[in-house]
Amino acid sequence: MVSSLVPAALRYADQVARSGSIQRAAKELNVAASAINRQILQLEGILGVPLFERVAKGMRLTPAGDAVVTMARRWHADERRAAADLQQLQGIHQGHVRLVAMDSHVNGFLPTFVLQMAREHPRISLEIEIGSTDAAAAALAGGTADIAAVFNLSPRRDLHVLWNAELPFGCVTAAGHPVAARKSISLQEAVGYPIALQSRALMIRRYLETRHGWLFTEGQKVVETNSLQLVKALARSGHYIAFTSELDAAPELLDGTFTFVPVRDKGAEPQTVCVAIDGRKPLTRIGRIVAEVLTRNIADCLDEVRRKRA
Amino acid sequence: MVSSLVPAALRYADQVARSGSIQRAAKELNVAASAINRQILQLEGILGVPLFERVAKGMRLTPAGDAVVTMARRWHADERRAAADLQQLQGIHQGHVRLVAMDSHVNGFLPTFVLQMAREHPRISLEIEIGSTDAAAAALAGGTADIAAVFNLSPRRDLHVLWNAELPFGCVTAAGHPVAARKSISLQEAVGYPIALQSRALMIRRYLETRHGWLFTEGQKVVETNSLQLVKALARSGHYIAFTSELDAAPELLDGTFTFVPVRDKGAEPQTVCVAIDGRKPLTRIGRIVAEVLTRNIADCLDEVRRKRA
DNA sequence: ACTGACCATTCTAATTTTGCGAATGGATGA
DNA sequence: TCATCCATTCGCAAAATTAGAATGGTCAGT
């Protein structure tokens, strides 16, 4: 027995309409073609009209059939909505949440977050898209994402920041790098070393360009890439330093591979990381649960990194 | 098997919600209580929530149950609408039409009309209420009738007369009555004979009172009744003449039992018979079919009566 | 013209689902 | 305590559905 309230006849008719033939629908539904055929004939009998036109290569909906299939699909949607409403009614945390995060989070707090969600809220399914801050903002505003965890989000009227934290500007170096021993460093001194940088597509690069454009004048020993992993690999080599955030390098900071050295220049303003949603509609209860777990994960990650440094 | 697309489980749940208990719903649906119980338990299993609260005297919907039953009712309405749409799509004449006619039509054109409708449009169902002209007008205006076939309908802004015909004022007599041989008669002469009259409740009486009030002064040999059948029986006896219309007496005029003798006085204005509808909304296609068949029946009836007299 | 591949449809048998009726136990009111 | 109503379970029969085999039609390729 299939656990669906929509009658089999309507479901079969719907699939035949989509597939174009009984045989293909049968394969897709894993049901005998004859069963589908019989149900459709019966449906046509009950309704008193042909729902499909039998053509050589299969079946095509008649206008009557289109009306019936449209109704079937509406019932299907009704059923799904009712099921979701009932779960909500029962206080069961269930739903689907779409998240946009950044590439740098993938090896950072994201796996921990996902595992915690799976453990604590098994019925909440997540869809995590990795993108840029701009892409995240667009997705939120465009309704294709529910929550975003991103760096340096510019204030926007249509987005609502639920939480944010400052990330001191600094550089990350291999533990044995000469800079690693410093409690802080001036930018001037820092650029005396080879630098691995993220490309313009990444927000941190734009941040640096607006504040320290001179970094990018010709003659500087700079490697530019859009791959954070490559930046980290270069930094891990001990030859380069990387301008990135504690959060970007959290795993390596925690395991001692990297050291974070703040840049003390006055103009070295911190970056930010935030959890944001579409400001024009309330977050669902499920969404708030996800946002809370996400936020706590980021905050815990930062706390851990900062405790390690102290 | 019941020819409904809405699953039995939903239909049963709906009825239990309405009836308040499985036992009562079982009686109303003519289904075993255990079958209903089984279907409801199954539905609760599929949806994962209780739909009913079992109380001492039966069952009460839970909020979840209310949502499901609401959906079931929506599906039921969807199904009915879809069925009607499909019939419309097929060009099949189907529907339900409510007609108001007059008592005098019952033995006149009505049976012929109903038989023709049954023969030519088996899917159009008729609801025929016998009433007065006033009642018919009220029913049309009040939306409880679609079409009326009535005498002497006063013009009303909210009613639309599709067709009408004049009915000469005259008296109906038994074939052997002295008046029967006349081509026409004066009112003065006519009232020299015993008269069978319809009572005030009937439109023809009101017609006479407004035009020939003296008929009802004391001393006249008048029998008054609200029964047309009684009026006809008295006329059939040969002792009385009846003031009524060709249409009222059409069957007897056609079979020779009665003769119609017009009254030639100047004040003897004709009655009218008309087919009318509610003027504020268009008649459906089905309604127009009915009106057309009805109108043709009345017209044919009159033609036949008049041909017979010539 | 023939052949292979796809199709819808029918039929028989097996399986599943549904409904009936009897029985059980609980709650309530007299 | 008893009668009456209720929901629920169970065994059985009837009905419905599905699977699988078989049939015949259409079409594209050879």
Side-chain angles (χ1 to χ4, degrees):
Chain A
M1 176 194 55
V2 168
S3 293
S4 173
L5 300 184
V6 180
L10 290 178
R11 290 190 275 108
Y12 294 166
D14 182 3
Q15 187 61 50
V16 169
R18 295 177 197 274
S19 307
S21 80
I22 288 180
Q23 298 281 347
R24 260 175 273 146
K27 290 194 181 71
E28 282 150 7
L29 292 177
N30 202 25
V31 161
S34 55
I36 294 182
N37 183 70
R38 176 194 280 266
Q39 286 290 347
I40 288 180
L41 290 176
Q42 198 176 312
L43 204 48
E44 288 176 326
I46 289 179
L47 295 170
V49 294
L51 303 178
F52 290 92
E53 182 188 350
R54 276 72 172 173
V55 297
K57 284 284 195 187
M59 322 232 286
R60 189 189 309 154
L61 277 176
T62 60
D66 187 66
V68 170
V69 161
T70 298
M71 184 190 78
R73 287 170 186 168
R74 188 159 63 248
W75 285 14
H76 198 287
D78 279 353
E79 180 184 15
R80 278 205 300 270
R81 189 177 310 120
D85 287 348
L86 297 191
Q87 296 288 4
Q88 190 110 353
L89 222 62
Q90 298 300 104
I92 292 174
H93 297 157
Q94 163 185 298
H96 186 74
V97 176
R98 300 163 301 175
L99 179 67
V100 179
M102 318 212 71
D103 180 57
S104 60
H105 300 153
V106 169
N107 291 321
F109 66 80
L110 262 188
T112 309
F113 157 76
V114 171
L115 287 169
Q116 183 180 349
M117 286 300 305
R119 195 171 52 250
E120 296 180 4
H121 302 288
R123 290 171 175 265
I124 297 182
S125 60
L126 295 170
E127 178 185 328
I128 304 176
E129 176 162 335
I130 301 304
S132 66
T133 297
D134 289 344
L140 284 182
T144 58
D146 302 307
I147 303 175
V150 296
F151 296 123
N152 306 319
L153 183 68
S154 303
R156 280 175 57 153
R157 182 178 285 111
D158 56 353
L159 301 184
H160 178 55
V161 173
L162 295 173
W163 173 89
N164 75 54
E166 286 190 346
L167 302 170
F169 181 63
C171 55
V172 156
T173 69
H177 195 284
V179 169
R182 311 290 177 76
K183 293 277 271 182
S184 66
I185 196 172
S186 71
L187 192 54
Q188 191 107 26
E189 186 188 348
V191 302
Y193 299 90
I195 296 169
L197 271 178
Q198 281 142 310
S199 71
R200 186 181 303 273
L202 298 170
M203 183 55 74
I204 197 166
R205 166 62 180 275
R206 194 168 323 158
Y207 174 94
L208 289 170
E209 277 183 339
T210 56
R211 291 166 178 80
H212 311 289
W214 49 268
L215 271 173
F216 305 100
T217 59
E218 216 163 326
Q220 296 297 342
K221 285 177 179 159
V222 173
V223 171
E224 181 177 325
T225 176
N226 69 343
S227 170
L228 175 64
Q229 304 314 319
L230 183 54
V231 165
K232 286 184 173 181
L234 294 172
R236 198 175 292 122
S237 75
H239 187 64
Y240 291 86
I241 63 175
F243 286 105
T244 194
S245 69
E246 294 165 285
L247 210 54
D248 279 352
E252 293 86 0
L253 291 171
L254 286 172
D255 68 17
T257 305
F258 285 164
T259 301
F260 180 77
V261 183
V263 169
R264 63 180 171 262
D265 297 46
K266 264 195 166 171
E269 291 174 26
Q271 293 185 91
T272 61
V273 64
C274 70
V275 172
I277 59 172
D278 184 340
R280 292 161 305 180
K281 63 188 187 199
L283 198 56
T284 65
R285 197 165 48 77
I286 303 301
R288 276 188 267 109
I289 290 174
V290 171
E292 188 184 328
V293 175
L294 180 63
T295 297
R296 203 178 325 113
N297 267 260
I298 302 176
D300 287 353
C301 185
L302 283 177
D303 286 348
E304 206 176 341
V305 163
R306 289 167 182 170
R307 272 204 304 278
K308 183 68 158 63
R309 210 173 85 223
Chain B
M1 178 193 51
V2 169
S3 293
S4 172
L5 300 183
V6 179
L10 291 178
R11 289 190 277 107
Y12 293 166
D14 182 4
Q15 187 60 52
V16 170
R18 292 178 198 275
S19 306
S21 81
I22 288 178
Q23 298 282 346
R24 262 174 272 146
K27 290 192 179 72
E28 281 149 9
L29 293 176
N30 203 26
V31 163
S34 54
I36 294 183
N37 184 70
R38 177 200 284 265
Q39 288 287 350
I40 288 180
L41 291 176
Q42 201 175 309
L43 202 50
E44 289 177 326
I46 290 178
L47 294 169
V49 294
L51 303 178
F52 290 91
E53 181 189 351
R54 277 71 172 172
V55 297
K57 284 285 195 186
M59 319 232 290
R60 188 189 310 155
L61 277 177
T62 60
D66 187 64
V68 171
V69 161
T70 299
M71 184 190 78
R73 287 170 186 170
R74 189 159 63 249
W75 285 14
H76 197 287
D78 279 352
E79 180 184 14
R80 278 204 302 268
R81 190 177 310 118
D85 287 349
L86 297 192
Q87 297 288 4
Q88 193 108 356
L89 221 63
Q90 298 301 105
I92 292 175
H93 299 154
Q94 165 186 295
H96 186 75
V97 177
R98 299 164 300 177
L99 180 66
V100 179
M102 317 210 72
D103 180 57
S104 59
H105 301 153
V106 169
N107 292 321
F109 64 83
L110 264 187
T112 310
F113 158 74
V114 172
L115 287 169
Q116 184 181 348
M117 285 300 306
R119 195 170 54 247
E120 295 180 7
H121 302 289
R123 291 170 174 268
I124 297 181
S125 59
L126 296 169
E127 179 184 328
I128 303 174
E129 177 161 334
I130 302 301
S132 66
T133 299
D134 289 344
L140 285 181
T144 58
D146 302 306
I147 303 175
V150 296
F151 296 121
N152 305 320
L153 184 68
S154 304
R156 280 175 58 153
R157 182 178 287 110
D158 56 351
L159 301 186
H160 177 56
V161 174
L162 295 174
W163 174 89
N164 76 55
E166 286 190 345
L167 303 170
F169 180 64
C171 58
V172 157
T173 70
H177 193 283
V179 169
R182 311 291 178 76
K183 292 279 270 184
S184 67
I185 195 171
S186 73
L187 193 54
Q188 192 109 20
E189 185 187 348
V191 303
Y193 299 89
I195 296 171
L197 271 179
Q198 281 142 311
S199 70
R200 188 181 302 275
L202 298 171
M203 183 55 74
I204 195 166
R205 166 60 181 274
R206 195 172 317 163
Y207 174 93
L208 289 170
E209 276 184 340
T210 55
R211 289 167 180 78
H212 310 289
W214 52 266
L215 270 172
F216 307 100
T217 60
E218 214 163 327
Q220 297 297 340
K221 285 174 179 161
V222 173
V223 172
E224 180 176 328
T225 176
N226 69 342
S227 170
L228 175 64
Q229 303 316 316
L230 182 54
V231 166
K232 286 183 172 181
L234 294 172
R236 199 174 292 121
S237 75
H239 189 64
Y240 289 88
I241 62 174
F243 285 105
T244 193
S245 68
E246 294 166 283
L247 211 53
D248 280 351
E252 293 87 1
L253 290 171
L254 286 172
D255 67 18
T257 304
F258 286 165
T259 302
F260 180 79
V261 183
V263 169
R264 63 177 173 263
D265 295 45
K266 265 195 163 166
E269 289 173 29
Q271 292 186 91
T272 60
V273 63
C274 70
V275 172
I277 59 170
D278 185 339
R280 292 161 303 180
K281 63 188 186 201
L283 199 55
T284 65
R285 198 167 45 80
I286 303 302
R288 276 188 268 106
I289 291 174
V290 172
E292 190 184 324
V293 175
L294 179 63
T295 296
R296 204 179 322 115
N297 269 258
I298 301 176
D300 287 352
C301 184
L302 283 177
D303 287 346
E304 205 175 341
V305 163
R306 288 167 181 170
R307 272 204 305 279
K308 184 66 158 63
R309 208 170 87 223

